[in-house]
Amino acid sequence: MNKVIKYCSLIALLTLSLVGISFGQDAVAAPEPESQPIEAEKEGSKGFDAKSFIFSHTGDSYCFHITEIKGEPICVWLPVIVKSKEQGWCVFSSKHVCELKEGETYRNFFIQPMDAEFKPGKLVEINQAGEIVRPFDISFTKNAFGVFFCCAFLLAFFLPAARKYKKDPMAQPTKYQGMIEWLTSMVLDGIIKPSIQGDKYKKFAPYLLTVFFFIFFNNLFGLIPFFPFGANVTGNLSITLVLALITYFFVNAFGTKHYWKDILWPDVPIFLKAIPLMPIIELISTITKPFALMIRLFANILAGHIIIMVLMALIFIIGGMYGAGMGGAMAIISIFMSIFMTALEMLVAYIQAYVFTMLSAIFIGLAQEEPETKAIKTTK
Amino acid sequence: MDLFLPESGLVIWMLIAFGIVFLILAKAGWPMIMGAVDKRNKHIADSLHAAEEANASLADIEKRSKEILAETQAEQIKILKESQDMKTQIVEEAKAQARLEAEKIVADARLRIEKEQAEAMDKVKDEVVALSVSIAEKLLQRELDDKQAQSDYIEQLIKNNNRIEA
């Protein structure tokens, strides 16, 4: 029985170290007593803090944490780029700020602990007045790395196919080209063409295809728990905000006259337009659509990541409450549950990319509507 | 909660990275892939259409060849029938000709026979005349010898003569 628990705990530890989390002291204590002092020293008497554990891994970070060996973190240090009011532009490796002990600063910068009131987990500065302020921060963070990694992947994935097609469009496609074709036409024929009428889809297809594969691959990469994957890119509001803004731009910048007429002077009784009630509502609706896109993608992906992290945290919470045996038992359940969740998240990865692209395409399609096509629709 | 506040730094990085990737893929990625797929789709559709057309024309040619075959067969039958007809006609004609010829020959022959008969009759008559003259001569010579005998003889002659004349 003891052996079984030991094995299970070992499996759990292996998985958890891949996810790159700090070992909770109680779960490790019984099967590997020699690691107890280090863990106890590190965690102190605070116990396991599930909240900071979860949000430090679903949120952004200044370094790419890979694993920890005997309390020594193994990280990819990313550049910190900040502009403070007092020091101007500062560029340095995040190694300096990530390894600071509590109370220390590097050039007056330090990272707020996760349980802090003001900007937890972010880089802050102590100015000369002794106040903690947030500098203008364009650090190349974990998520920025994730974005660039995915972008590089997209280019490396799609450009060779494009080059092959450019060279000889009528040649028999290779397996790789077949895959690209399958992926592309899945989006093109399944989402874009049904949503945007006529030949206008050609104008918007590049954006919609790019956004689909950007979201899809980022969602999938977010599920892979080791470097260079694992950044929770699409579960970050900044990313979905940019995507929603671009969709907003494509919907409204290319909107037809008819579309703008429907917004600013819709076919409603005059008293609803004279005091511009309807136009205001319509204008707000143009903003709510991309806003919903932003929140939907962000919340879905973040929720998936949080669930997996909660399942992991449960091991340590249960272990802390009932001892190592229960923690080990919980590890088995947690691992099976997180396997299930990861499978579900793969489905969600596709569905959310699909939904974002589909809705973007529909909004663009609605803004491309011409009066005569609408007349046909209403008579039907 | 900070989780729900966008970070300016990440927004800027995202805009740069996504913008670059979008521009590159929109310029050199998607149009090629979409274009090639469209082109091939069109090519396949065209080829299918052409094959269908070729099939149709092949069927047309087959039909035409069958028609031609049927026509030639009909022609053949017609020609055979005509030659048969011609044959019988020729035979008939020849037969008619032959019959005519034969009739003519027969008529000629009859005519000649009649002529010869007449000639023979003439000869016979001449001979009868000569005979009667010779008889008359002889009679005249015997008349002087015997009266009785003479008259018997004349009677006999006349009788003979009648028999000949009849």
Side-chain angles (χ1 to χ4, degrees), chain B residues 5 35 37-38 45 52 76 82 85 100 103 107-108 111 148 152:
Chain B
L5 289 176
V37 172
D38 276 355
E52 223 163 77
Q76 191 190 13
E82 264 176 17
D85 284 356
L100 219 69
E103 269 168 17
D108 274 1
L111 221 68
Q148 188 61 41
D152 289 344

Side-chain angles (χ1 to χ4, degrees), chain A residues 190-197 357-358 360-366:
Chain A
I191 302 174
I192 300 173
K193 279 182 191 173
S195 309
I196 304 173
Q197 287 170 352
T357 316
M358 175 69 119
S360 295
I362 287 173
F363 296 152
I364 289 170
L366 286 176

Side-chain angles (χ1 to χ4, degrees), chain A residues 185 187-199 201-202 205 208 361, chain B residues 34 37-38 41:
Chain A
S185 49
V187 181
L188 204 62
D189 297 337
I191 302 174
I192 300 173
K193 279 182 191 173
S195 309
I196 304 173
Q197 287 170 352
D199 250 11
Y201 79 89
K202 282 186 179 153
L208 292 167
Chain B
M34 280 157 61
V37 172
D38 276 355
N41 278 352

